[in-house]
Each structure stands twice: as structure tokens, then as C-alpha cells.
Amino acid sequence: MSAKIIDGKLISKKILEEIKIEFEILKKKKNIIPGIALILIGNNPASQIYVSSKAKICNELGFHSAIERVDEKISESDLLNIINKFNSNKSIHGILVQLPLPKHIDENKIIEAIDYKKDVDGFHPINVGKLVLGQKCFIPCTPLGIYELLLRYQIETSGKHIVIIGRSNIVGKPIANLLLQKNSGNATVTIIHTGTKNISSFTKEANILIAAIGKQNFVTKEMVKENCVVIDVGINRTTDKKIVGDVDFENVKEIVSAITPVPGGVGPMTIAMLVKNTFSAAFENEKF
Ligand code: GUN
């Protein structure tokens, strides 16, 4: 039997429609237009596409978006000045610096310079700390998108064993912390990574397997348990310029109960969650 396809494109569209309705109501009441600053450094083609799609979707909803394109040779101090300018701009509620950064710029310094109340990416150490402590905060967009997909497809996480492949600060660590909390997952969580021995012995135990490695066809059907749920976070470009995930989708879908496709799974959810976080930054000041 073939798996249920978890349709991130459809769910993200629904979420954006829900936000639009809420926004129209709140705009009349409070006269606020949510604003986001998107800082794009250099000419990385993937980053350019991501930033343009983020701005496009914000604009379609009637949010204000400002794309700040800067040369990849920009100095760290000039970049910090740009961030400070947006920190004190009252019409900007969210600030996103697209990663990766050029090598001469210290990523930690840049992330820490963003006002944590405008950190819609949820990368600032204050938001990371709050997430670990189970406090209200900005949650990184991809993990939040995965959580929302599990909720909307009514996939039980409580008491389940969730295995995450990858320990990145953007996906692996935050999704582990989110699903671990009693009130947002209540799962038993295992993170496996490049230092893990005998990876299959862990993946085969998973009720829910989250793949965030960045390697095409990394997860094969021999590595998963029958009827498990597979969430594929990978975005890999093939030699013939197709976008594929980390999972051997065609073979794995034959034995699991549900799976996200690539494209059309987690990707669109990431952008929808950025819109959600920007909306919260503008309207839920009491969050902090
Ligand atoms: N690069 C890859 N994913 C992301 C993301 O979610 N946010 C930012 N700022 N950069 C990224």
C-alpha cells in the first residue's frame, strides 16, 4: 500500500488564508501593517530565490517587505549597521538575514545583533534558550512548519519515538527541542548525525523519521520501519537541475504510512511560518 502524501503546499495555502483573515481584522482595529526586512548578502542563487519568494508571499498578503541586497564583500561592521537601522525602525517588525553568510563574517555576531523581539527566524540565543526552556518565543520556521504539518495531519507524537537525522541549528536541534516539550510533541527524541555509528539501527526504530541531512537519496527503504511517518527536509539539486529531498521517495513511500514530497512538503511550510512569525511580531507584543 502506498503512503499518504503530506501536502505542505495545500496546508501552507490554508495557513496563509487564515493569517490573511486575522490580519484584515487586526489591521482595522490596530492600524498596523506587519513589516519584514530581508537582508541578502552576495549572489548565492538559492538564497536569492528563497528571499524573493519570502518577500513575494509577504507582499501578496499585504505585509510590507524591504529587501536589502548587499555586496558579498560588505564588512561586518557595515552589516551590523544595517541590522541596527532595522532594529530601530518601528515599521519593521521582523528581521531576517539569509544564511549562509560569506566566510569573513561571524554568523553568531550577526544573529546576536538582531533585536530578539524582531528575530522571526528564531536563531537569536535568547529565542533558542527560551525554546529549550519551553517558554514562548520565536521558533525557527522549518521546525515550526514540520510541527504544524504533524498537527494538521493529526499525526500523534506523544509517546512516539521521533528520530531526527541532522543536528543543524536551523532544523535538527530546534525540531528536537520543540517535539520534546510536554505541550508540543511530548515525544521521545533521538538525534543522529555524522558522528553516529550504525545509523540504520536508530532509523529503523523511528515512528516518525525527520531527514535533514542535505544528501540526495540518503534515506532508503531498508532504513525505515513499516508504517512510520517520514518528513523530508532536504532540498538538493540534481545534475539535471531537479529539486529532490534526502529520502528515496519512490521506494520509501511503498512501505511507510505517510511522507512529505520534495518539492511541495516542508518547503512551502517554512515560508508560511515566516509569515506567521512576522504577523506575531507585529501583533503579539505581549509574547515577550
Ligand atoms: N538559510 C537556509 N534556511 C534558512 C532560514 O530558515 N533562515 C535564514 N535566515 N537563512 C536560511
Side-chain angles (χ1 to χ4, degrees):
M1 201 186 70
S2 204
K4 177 188 277 184
I5 305 299
I6 300 174
D7 190 342
K9 205 168 162 191
L10 180 79
I11 301 292
S12 67
K13 230 175 123 192
K14 270 194 193 152
I15 291 172
L16 291 172
E17 278 162 13
E18 290 165 12
I19 296 173
K20 193 169 169 64
I21 293 167
E22 244 185 290
F23 169 45
E24 295 299 337
I25 297 166
L26 280 170
K27 189 165 69 173
K28 282 190 195 122
K29 256 198 205 163
K30 300 197 174 182
N31 198 25
I32 297 173
I33 307 284
I36 181 165
L38 301 150
I39 304 172
L40 173 63
I41 300 117
N43 304 313
N44 180 321
S47 293
Q48 286 181 1
I49 294 170
Y50 295 145
V51 167
S52 307
S53 352
K54 288 169 184 176
K56 182 169 168 266
I57 291 182
C58 285
N59 293 341
E60 278 169 6
L61 240 73
F63 288 15
H64 163 62
S65 77
I67 301 185
E68 183 89 22
R69 287 172 210 274
V70 297
D71 192 273
E72 71 176 346
K73 293 199 181 79
I74 189 172
S75 69
E76 201 171 80
S77 66
D78 284 350
L79 185 54
L80 290 170
N81 285 337
I82 292 173
I83 292 169
N84 285 330
K85 182 186 79 180
F86 286 127
N87 278 342
S88 49
N89 181 338
K90 291 209 162 47
S91 63
I92 293 295
H93 306 92
I95 301 171
L96 177 148
V97 179
Q98 186 66 27
L99 303 177
L101 297 178
K103 285 203 175 66
H104 67 281
I105 293 176
D106 181 344
E107 188 178 292
N108 291 334
K109 228 183 197 175
I110 298 303
I111 291 171
E112 283 178 42
I114 298 169
D115 178 348
Y116 78 95
K117 293 179 184 165
K118 296 189 177 189
D119 170 37
V120 284
D121 255 331
F123 294 165
H124 190 286
I126 292 180
N127 284 313
V128 175
K130 282 173 179 270
L131 175 61
V132 173
L133 295 169
Q135 297 175 11
K136 240 185 160 184
C137 61
F138 285 116
I139 296 167
C141 304
T142 301
L144 193 55
I146 294 169
Y147 180 63
E148 197 72 45
L149 277 181
L150 294 172
L151 276 185
R152 297 210 180 209
Y153 273 86
Q154 295 177 328
I155 294 166
E156 182 64 82
T157 54
S158 183
K160 302 292 180 193
H161 186 193
I162 301 183
V163 176
I164 298 156
I165 320 178
R167 58 178 152 188
S168 71
N169 292 339
I170 296 183
V171 183
K173 286 180 199 160
I175 190 67
N177 277 298
L178 183 61
L179 294 171
L180 184 66
Q181 303 295 338
K182 197 165 189 175
N183 58 2
S184 61
N186 199 33
T188 302
V189 176
T190 301
I191 305 183
I192 58 178
H193 47 78
T194 47
T196 303
K197 294 198 173 83
N198 197 359
I199 279 183
S200 289
S201 68
F202 294 95
T203 58
K204 275 185 186 155
E205 289 301 311
N207 302 117
I208 301 173
L209 181 65
I210 301 177
I213 313 124
K215 278 193 190 140
Q216 184 184 345
N217 286 336
F218 185 90
V219 177
T220 60
K221 89 172 191 299
E222 290 74 29
M223 290 168 70
V224 299
K225 180 155 84 170
E226 258 181 55
N227 290 323
C228 86
V229 173
V230 175
I231 307 290
D232 190 348
V233 188
I235 302 177
N236 308 298
R237 263 156 246 270
T238 62
T239 42
D240 52 348
K241 299 210 164 106
K242 271 199 208 134
I243 301 286
V244 296
D246 292 341
V247 178
D248 175 9
F249 181 84
E250 286 309 319
N251 290 311
V252 170
K253 81 176 193 321
E254 296 306 320
I255 62 164
V256 299
S257 62
I259 186 166
T260 59
V262 177
V266 175
M269 293 299 292
T270 298
I271 301 189
M273 294 302 108
L274 178 69
V275 173
K276 192 172 182 194
N277 280 349
T278 305
F279 180 81
S280 302
F283 288 111
E284 292 179 26
N285 300 327
E286 70 276 16
K287 183 174 235 171
F288 298 96

